[in-house]
Amino acid sequence: MSEKVTFKAELRTQTGKSANRKLRNQGLVPVVFYSQDGENLVLSVNENEFLKMYRKVGTTRVFSLDVDGKTYDTLIWKVQMDPVRPRPNHIDFLGVSNDRTIKVDVPVVTEGKAPGVKLGGRMAIYRPKLTVSCTAATLPAEIVVNISSMNVGDTVFVNEIDLGEGASVVFDNNFALVRCAAGRGSAKAAEEAEEK
């Protein structure tokens, strides 16, 4: 497991549109920190430093938020982007603890090479993210689906995803997550076979 990143934020006393505009003009971003215990802090962070950290930890890695020397285990919860320029307008941080359950959207990735792709199939991921119920200690950075044994027509359903003890995917209905679908080449071959 990689070392936990520490990131500094400053307390701010002024709020509202005018105060937030001033912050952004100074290269800062308004932030609200919410803890699972109900503690809320109104903060600001350096935009460039935040973007560097965001690229590193994403929304599924816990980092240490330093506010005036006090640290909190934290996740980046929501980033509201500017509608015109590619920069954050507002950020929500969530303070987490190792013994409290949270629900987090975790990205889905595949690993391996599917034999079905070599035969003309194509891989389809139907959900780029899944909601996971877990604690900060059991939060996966990503959900890895091994596709190395998938042939054309094979499907991995959400109920087949095992995240280990302490974490589970939240879903109501079992749905297809990843499929090795028939590609153009294999579909064309099937059509030709039907015509004969």
Side-chain angles (χ1 to χ4, degrees), residues 24-25 27-29 47 51 80-82 85-89:
R24 292 185 193 105
N25 288 340
L28 302 172
V29 185
E47 181 184 336
L51 290 172
Q80 180 188 357
M81 297 302 287
D82 186 286
R85 294 171 292 175
R87 59 182 299 191
N89 254 352

Side-chain angles (χ1 to χ4, degrees), residues 108-113 123-125 142-147 150 177-179:
V108 176
V109 297
T110 58
E111 72 172 9
K113 292 186 178 179
M123 295 308 301
I125 300 178
E142 55 192 15
I143 294 168
V144 180
V145 180
N146 190 318
I147 61 169
M150 292 182 74
L177 180 61
V178 178
R179 176 174 286 147

Side-chain angles (χ1 to χ4, degrees), residues 12-63:
R12 61 186 168 105
T13 52
Q14 295 184 323
T15 58
K17 285 185 178 179
S18 176
N20 289 347
R21 195 176 303 115
K22 282 180 187 172
L23 277 177
R24 292 185 193 105
N25 288 340
Q26 296 167 17
L28 302 172
V29 185
V31 175
V32 177
F33 168 89
Y34 302 92
S35 82
Q36 289 180 291
D37 298 319
E39 180 184 10
N40 296 347
L41 299 174
V42 182
L43 310 168
S44 66
V45 296
N46 178 285
E47 181 184 336
N48 291 331
E49 293 301 316
F50 169 76
L51 290 172
K52 281 184 207 168
M53 194 264 296
Y54 189 27
R55 282 191 285 271
K56 198 170 187 178
V57 304
T59 55
T60 56
R61 254 184 73 194
V62 175
F63 64 96

Side-chain angles (χ1 to χ4, degrees), residues 49-178:
E49 293 301 316
F50 169 76
L51 290 172
K52 281 184 207 168
M53 194 264 296
Y54 189 27
R55 282 191 285 271
K56 198 170 187 178
V57 304
T59 55
T60 56
R61 254 184 73 194
V62 175
F63 64 96
S64 185
L65 181 67
D66 182 336
V67 182
D68 288 346
K70 187 174 179 183
T71 57
Y72 305 84
D73 283 346
T74 306
L75 285 171
I76 297 170
W77 197 240
K78 287 180 186 166
V79 179
Q80 180 188 357
M81 297 302 287
D82 186 286
V84 179
R85 294 171 292 175
R87 59 182 299 191
N89 254 352
H90 179 86
I91 305 158
D92 287 337
F93 288 155
L94 177 68
V96 294
S97 61
N98 285 339
D99 57 352
R100 292 265 193 97
T101 302
I102 51 174
K103 287 182 181 176
V104 181
D105 288 340
V106 177
V108 176
V109 297
T110 58
E111 72 172 9
K113 292 186 178 179
V117 172
K118 291 177 187 170
L119 299 172
R122 58 181 178 75
M123 295 308 301
I125 300 178
Y126 296 116
R127 301 272 176 104
K129 292 183 177 182
L130 293 176
T131 302
V132 173
S133 176
C134 58
T135 63
T138 58
L139 172 63
E142 55 192 15
I143 294 168
V144 180
V145 180
N146 190 318
I147 61 169
S148 55
S149 63
M150 292 182 74
N151 287 302
V152 175
D154 288 350
T155 304
V156 175
F157 287 88
V158 69
N159 69 343
E160 298 171 53
I161 302 299
D162 181 11
L163 300 177
E165 195 174 335
S168 60
V169 178
V170 178
F171 62 95
D172 292 324
N173 302 308
N174 190 22
F175 55 83
L177 180 61
V178 178

